């Protein structure tokens, strides 16, 4: 997958935007538990009062509180408030850090005052310890004390509160602030509802932001992934189109189709999911851990236990399932190969009544693929229930430990709720990565198969400084001691072939099946390179020419006629699209195709189905010949292209071809002697070697191989007449 990341360069702007949106979404997601905690802790339990720092309080209350503060604390408090008559109001420019200090300064004095004025046994006990007579106003009595005695008393009482958790002190301070607000006539219910309403509104706005960011990420991820898939498919297509026959033989057609479609689709889908899940999971996981540490670090060990259990589970499952992921793509290739063979060979299968055999062959490939898929999916079915068990177990463990912390006053209920939510977010991050880990192995295998194509070196490359043949020598073809062997083959297919064909001449190539006729002519358009000797076109070695320049000089008709979906007109002008309709008709007339074309309802605009399945074999060959004629090349190459024609059509076509292509060089591979009798030269091949070269009459005299072929096809009387 990493090697395919270079295709993201075009979409780098979108990728950066996706990252920004993911961080925004994560920030909002991680903020929601904090707001939930505030609503419970502050909005419900503390009636909307955040801490022990009152927004305003009576001057008399401020004076009472200062009695139990140090000089520095009292001075800091005076600076933070401004007096407006009998009311002291908190200044608006007080920052968060100062507010935290004020909360600490107010906490113990408020707790002491509440203890002194609350009444009851505890209050009476405190007054007795301070030697304040019963019935005396304790605050006035303390105010009348010498400053040194008051400081000692405050310090002694502070030692009693030293072991108290900060949360309990803050809770007591909040209760004091509530009492102060009530004393000033403030509506506590309104304060509470306002706080809950504001917090709820912020949560709704954040939820809307999360939704907008999530939708945007999905849209942009799909766009980036689609662009990536488009670019990879384009490069794979261009690479495959440039392959020589050697590379085509290395990869099967079914495999190339699978790699160009299914494999690219796998990578594209995974890339889209990767932006939405794989990138988001670490952000939300790390952010959740940081928030947990900020909330309460005493229970982080619970998260550690959960993460370890999840990693063990993932490792166990993937050690079992991973090998099967690699095998899946190979099995898909095999199924595609079998399916393609069956669909292509349906007429033969029916003719030999082999439907049952092919059905079993398909079922065998389908069964193995299904079995492997089921094995992988069964392994993965254990993952989600196991994850949910771990997640619920973690929740129970947090509640169990958190309830004890709440009971002793070390934690508030809202903090415990927030901790549970953060823990779930962290575990969900692992769940998301786990879900992706089902797709990633298959996508990685698909990516490796794509990279294998992209990194395959083409054995036929254009030279760095291609040679352009001289205009003085055109239409010549020369084989200079040419030998050829297929890659990794043990012996030559062609050995020491030499001949020269001048402009306007016709060379016929004949020989028994497997003698190397098609291989020989495939060296001319450079479908393969000769292993020894030189193949020259227009006096230049084909390896020194640009492939396009070379093939633009040729009109090639393959042994098996190939037509493309479209119309008859588009197929004839396939090699030269800018010709007129009259030129199309002329090419069809030379190829003896005009009659059957004009009989069709739409004539030259009649549709041709994929592979030309709606025309006969002979019509397909004639249209392939018309396509080569329409190109008007220097050199015609016919690879046994008259085999599907009857003798009458064959004779008429060769006569018309001779008249139309008088100045062109023609090379004909044929099985029938009657097709090649008029050739200027006839090359006879026998097991890849030259058995003879000359005219028909010369070969009848001095080439035993040719004479045997001729006598097997024509009678002595016909040969004598010829």
């Amino acid at each position: 997958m990493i090697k395919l990341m270079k295709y993201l360069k075009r979409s780098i702007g979108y990728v950066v935007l996706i990252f920004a949106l993911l961080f925004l979404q994560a920030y909002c997601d991680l903020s929601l538990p904090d707001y939930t905690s505030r609503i419970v802790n502050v909005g419900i339990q503390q009636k909307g009062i955040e801490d022990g720092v009152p927004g305003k309080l009576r001057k008399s209350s401020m004076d009472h509180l200062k009695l139990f503060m140090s000089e520095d604390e009292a001075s800091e408090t005076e600076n933070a408030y401004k007096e407006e008559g009998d009311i002291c109001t908190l200044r608006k420019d007080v920052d968060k850090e100062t507010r935290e200090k004020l909360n600490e300064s107010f906490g113990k004095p408020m707790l002491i005052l509440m203890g002194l004025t609350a009444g009851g046994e505890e209050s009476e006990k405190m007054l007795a310890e301070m030697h304040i007579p019963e019935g005396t106003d304790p605050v006035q009595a303390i105010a009348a004390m010498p400053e040194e005695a008051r400081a000692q008393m405050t310090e002694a009482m502070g030692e009693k509160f030293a072991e108290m958790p900060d949360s309990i002190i803050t809770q007591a301070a909040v209760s004091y602030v509530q009492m102060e607000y009530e004393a000033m006539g403030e509506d506590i219910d309104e304060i509470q509802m306002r706080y809950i309403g504001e917090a709820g509104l912020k949560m709704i706005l954040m939820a809307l932001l999360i939704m907008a960011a999530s939708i945007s990420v999905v849209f942009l991820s799909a766009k980036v992934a689609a662009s990536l898939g488009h670019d990879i498919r384009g490069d794979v297509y261009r690479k495959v189109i440039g392959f020589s026959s050697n590379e085509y033989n290395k990869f099967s057609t079914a495999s190339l189709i699978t790699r160009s479609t299914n494999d690219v689709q796998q990578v594209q889908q995974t890339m889209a999911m990767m932006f939405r899940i794989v990138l988001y999971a670490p952000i939300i996981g790390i952010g959740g851990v940081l928030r947990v540490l900020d909330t309460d670090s005493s229970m982080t060990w619970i998260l550690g236990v959960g993460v370890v259990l999840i990693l063990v589970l993932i490792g166990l499952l993937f050690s079992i399932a991973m090998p099967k992921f690699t095998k899946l793509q190979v099995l898909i290739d095999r199924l595609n190969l079998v399916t393609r063979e069956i669909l292509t060979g349906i007429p033969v299968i029916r003719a030999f009544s082999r439907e049952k055999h092919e059905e079993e062959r398909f079922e065998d490939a389908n069964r193995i693929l299904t079995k492997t898929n089921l094995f992988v999916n069964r392994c993965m079915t254990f993952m989600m229930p196991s994850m949910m068990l771990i997640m619920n177990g973690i929740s129970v463990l947090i509640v169990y430990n958190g309830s004890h912390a709440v009971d002793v006053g070390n934690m508030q209920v809202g903090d415990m709720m927030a901790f549970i939510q953060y823990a779930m977010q962290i575990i969900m991050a692992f769940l998301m990565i786990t879900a992706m880990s089902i797709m990633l192995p298959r996508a990685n295998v698909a990516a490796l198969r794509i990279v294998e194509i992209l990194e395959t070196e083409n054995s036929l490359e254009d030279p760095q400084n291609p040679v352009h043949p001289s205009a003085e020598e055109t239409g010549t073809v020369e084989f200079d001691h040419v030998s050829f062997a297929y890659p990794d083959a043990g012996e030559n297919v062609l050995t020491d072939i030499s001949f020269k064909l001048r402009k306007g001449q016709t060379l016929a190539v004949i020989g028994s099946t497997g003698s190397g006729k098609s291989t020989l002519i495939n060296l001319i358009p450079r479908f393969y390179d000769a292993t020894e000797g030189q193949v020259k076109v227009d006096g230049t070695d084909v390896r020194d020419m640009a492939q396009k320049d070379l093939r633009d000089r040729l009109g090639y008709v393959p042994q098996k006629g190939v037509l493309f979906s479209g119309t008859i007109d588009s197929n004839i002008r396939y090699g030269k699209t800018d010709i007129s309709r009259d030129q199309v008709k002329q090419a069809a007339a030379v190829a003896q195709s005009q009659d059957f074309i004009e009989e069709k309802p739409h004539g030259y605009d009649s549709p041709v189905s994929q592979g030309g399945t709606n025309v006969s074999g002979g019509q397909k060959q004639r249209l392939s010949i018309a396509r080569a004629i329409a190109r008007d090349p220097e050199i015609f190459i016919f690879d046994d292209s008259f085999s599907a024609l009857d003798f009458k059509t064959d004779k008429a076509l060769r006569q018309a071809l001779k008249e139309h292509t008088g100045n062109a060089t023609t090379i004909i591979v044929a099985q029938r002697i009657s097709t090649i009798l008029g050739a200027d030269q006839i090359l006879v091949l026998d097991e890849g070697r030259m058995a003879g070269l000359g005219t028909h009459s010369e070969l009848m005299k001095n080439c035993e191989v040719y004479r045997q072929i001729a006598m097997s096809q024509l009678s002595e009387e016909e040969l004598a007449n010829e």
Side-chain angles (χ1 to χ4, degrees), residues 332-632:
I332 291 171
D333 274 355
R334 182 165 176 250
L335 185 67
N336 284 343
L337 176 65
V338 172
T339 305
R340 189 172 181 275
E341 283 183 346
I342 292 171
L343 294 176
T344 306
I346 280 176
V348 178
I349 293 167
R350 288 173 178 168
F352 286 89
S353 300
R354 296 287 286 174
E355 292 93 342
K356 187 67 178 175
H357 168 75
E358 295 301 330
E359 182 182 338
E360 289 173 358
R361 198 157 71 97
F362 175 83
E363 185 55 36
D364 182 56
N366 191 23
R367 179 177 50 78
I368 295 172
L369 176 61
T370 304
K371 189 177 178 181
T372 308
N373 255 322
L374 284 173
F375 178 84
V376 171
N377 289 330
R378 281 167 184 160
C379 286
M380 292 306 150
T381 54
F382 286 99
M383 186 170 289
M384 196 54 68
S386 302
M387 290 290 184
M388 295 306 296
L389 178 64
I390 292 170
M391 192 160 65
N392 291 327
I394 293 296
S395 297
V396 171
L397 202 55
I398 290 171
V399 171
Y400 178 79
N401 279 269
S403 60
H404 285 288
V406 171
D407 185 48
V408 298
N410 292 328
M411 180 185 284
Q412 291 182 275
V413 176
D415 291 336
M416 185 180 71
M417 292 174 65
F419 193 94
I420 292 172
Q421 288 180 285
Y422 287 132
M424 293 306 102
Q425 286 178 332
I426 294 166
I427 293 172
M428 282 303 296
F430 278 92
L431 282 175
M432 287 190 284
I433 293 173
T434 305
M436 277 302 298
S437 61
I438 298 171
M439 295 180 66
L440 280 173
R442 290 190 67 177
N444 192 50
V445 172
L448 289 174
R449 285 156 52 87
I450 293 166
V451 170
E452 187 181 3
I453 290 179
L454 295 175
E455 291 184 350
T456 298
E457 293 293 331
N458 199 337
S459 57
L460 300 181
E461 294 286 352
D462 282 342
Q464 291 185 348
N465 300 305
V467 176
H468 190 76
S470 171
E472 296 175 2
E473 186 174 359
T474 58
T476 64
V477 178
E478 181 180 357
F479 274 55
D480 184 9
H481 298 286
V482 171
S483 296
F484 174 76
Y486 287 107
D488 303 322
E491 57 184 16
N492 285 344
V493 179
L494 298 172
T495 304
D496 197 26
I497 308 295
S498 294
F499 65 85
K500 185 168 184 179
L501 196 60
R502 301 190 182 280
K503 183 178 181 180
Q505 290 186 324
T506 300
L507 172 73
V509 184
I510 195 168
S512 59
T513 302
S515 59
K517 303 184 296 296
S518 294
T519 302
L520 183 141
I521 65 164
N522 282 339
L523 297 177
I524 301 171
R526 208 183 166 204
F527 295 155
Y528 295 98
D529 273 343
T531 49
E532 293 180 33
Q534 291 181 308
V535 178
K536 297 180 181 179
V537 170
D538 294 349
T540 304
D541 192 325
V542 294
R543 288 170 292 197
D544 296 331
M545 298 171 65
Q547 292 179 66
K548 187 178 186 309
D549 185 19
L550 168 65
R551 290 164 187 169
D552 282 345
R553 299 166 187 268
L554 308 176
Y556 176 74
V557 184
Q559 187 172 4
K560 182 182 178 181
V562 177
L563 298 181
F564 301 93
S565 56
T567 63
I568 290 174
D569 179 84
S570 68
N571 271 278
I572 293 175
R573 63 171 74 238
Y574 186 80
K576 197 173 184 180
T577 56
D578 57 350
I579 60 175
S580 64
R581 176 57 72 89
D582 289 337
Q583 288 173 297
V584 170
K585 290 181 177 179
Q586 185 182 13
V590 173
Q592 307 301 302
S593 305
Q594 197 165 20
D595 291 343
F596 82 80
I597 292 173
E598 291 179 351
E599 286 175 2
K600 292 181 176 291
H602 301 289
Y604 287 87
D605 295 320
S606 298
V608 175
S609 61
Q610 184 182 2
T613 53
N614 61 338
V615 294
S616 68
Q619 291 171 345
K620 192 185 295 185
Q621 274 197 343
R622 281 180 278 171
L623 288 174
S624 297
I625 293 167
R627 179 171 59 205
I629 294 168
R631 193 173 192 180
D632 194 23

Side-chain angles (χ1 to χ4, degrees), residues 129-411:
E129 288 177 0
M130 296 167 67
H131 306 292
I132 296 174
E134 191 175 343
T136 307
D137 185 347
V139 178
Q140 287 182 359
I142 292 169
M145 286 182 182
E147 188 174 338
E148 187 176 332
R150 189 170 62 245
Q152 287 178 353
M153 184 192 67
T154 304
E155 186 178 346
M157 294 185 71
E159 288 176 0
K160 291 184 178 182
F161 301 144
E163 295 180 1
M164 276 191 181
D166 291 340
S167 59
I168 290 181
I169 295 174
T170 301
Q171 286 286 327
V174 167
S175 298
Y176 181 89
V177 174
Q178 289 177 14
M179 291 165 56
E180 186 66 21
Y181 283 170
E182 287 173 353
M184 289 188 293
E186 294 287 332
D187 189 344
I188 299 298
D189 290 340
E190 185 186 345
I191 293 172
Q192 183 179 25
M193 293 308 297
R194 184 169 63 246
Y195 183 89
I196 293 174
E198 288 176 358
L201 182 61
K202 287 177 182 177
M203 290 181 74
I204 292 170
L205 290 174
M206 284 193 172
L208 292 173
L209 264 178
I210 291 169
M211 183 181 73
S214 181
I215 292 170
S216 300
V217 167
V218 170
F219 174 78
L220 292 173
S221 299
K223 188 177 180 65
V224 171
S227 176
L228 176 103
H230 171 271
D231 292 346
I232 293 174
R233 267 192 299 270
D235 278 4
V236 169
Y237 171 78
R238 283 185 287 273
K239 188 73 177 184
V240 171
I241 285 295
F243 277 171
S244 69
S245 299
N246 288 338
E247 284 74 53
Y248 278 116
N249 293 335
K250 180 181 176 183
F251 303 98
S252 69
T253 305
S255 180
L256 287 174
I257 291 171
T258 306
R259 293 172 196 237
S260 303
T261 53
N262 184 63
D263 287 355
V264 175
Q265 188 69 16
Q266 284 276 357
V267 171
Q268 181 177 325
Q269 287 179 347
T270 304
M271 190 59 66
M273 296 295 289
M274 189 177 290
F275 284 120
R276 291 170 4 218
I277 296 176
V278 176
L279 294 181
Y280 186 62
I283 297 172
I284 199 78
I286 294 169
V289 169
L290 294 175
R291 291 278 187 158
V292 160
L293 293 174
D294 188 52
T295 303
D296 191 332
S297 59
S298 64
M299 291 199 295
T300 50
W301 64 271
I302 298 174
L303 293 179
V305 170
V307 169
V308 169
L309 289 173
I310 289 170
L311 291 176
V312 169
L313 179 65
I314 293 171
L316 183 64
L317 287 174
F318 275 85
S319 63
I320 298 170
M322 184 66 74
K324 298 294 182 181
F325 280 121
T326 306
K327 192 178 178 183
L328 273 176
Q329 296 303 112
V330 178
L331 293 175
I332 291 171
D333 274 355
R334 182 165 176 250
L335 185 67
N336 284 343
L337 176 65
V338 172
T339 305
R340 189 172 181 275
E341 283 183 346
I342 292 171
L343 294 176
T344 306
I346 280 176
V348 178
I349 293 167
R350 288 173 178 168
F352 286 89
S353 300
R354 296 287 286 174
E355 292 93 342
K356 187 67 178 175
H357 168 75
E358 295 301 330
E359 182 182 338
E360 289 173 358
R361 198 157 71 97
F362 175 83
E363 185 55 36
D364 182 56
N366 191 23
R367 179 177 50 78
I368 295 172
L369 176 61
T370 304
K371 189 177 178 181
T372 308
N373 255 322
L374 284 173
F375 178 84
V376 171
N377 289 330
R378 281 167 184 160
C379 286
M380 292 306 150
T381 54
F382 286 99
M383 186 170 289
M384 196 54 68
S386 302
M387 290 290 184
M388 295 306 296
L389 178 64
I390 292 170
M391 192 160 65
N392 291 327
I394 293 296
S395 297
V396 171
L397 202 55
I398 290 171
V399 171
Y400 178 79
N401 279 269
S403 60
H404 285 288
V406 171
D407 185 48
V408 298
N410 292 328
M411 180 185 284

Side-chain angles (χ1 to χ4, degrees), residues 54-95:
K56 57 182 179 178
L57 77 167
R58 293 169 295 176
K59 188 175 183 305
S60 58
S61 298
M62 177 68 83
D63 293 337
H64 292 164
L65 291 169
K66 285 180 185 178
L67 293 173
F68 305 100
M69 294 182 184
S70 66
E71 289 185 11
D72 291 340
E73 288 175 339
S75 174
E76 204 169 58
T77 303
E78 284 180 6
N79 292 332
Y81 283 84
K82 59 181 178 180
E83 291 184 13
E84 296 176 348
D86 293 334
I87 303 297
C88 295
T89 307
L90 185 68
R91 296 181 185 275
K92 293 182 179 180
D93 58 352
V94 172
D95 56 23

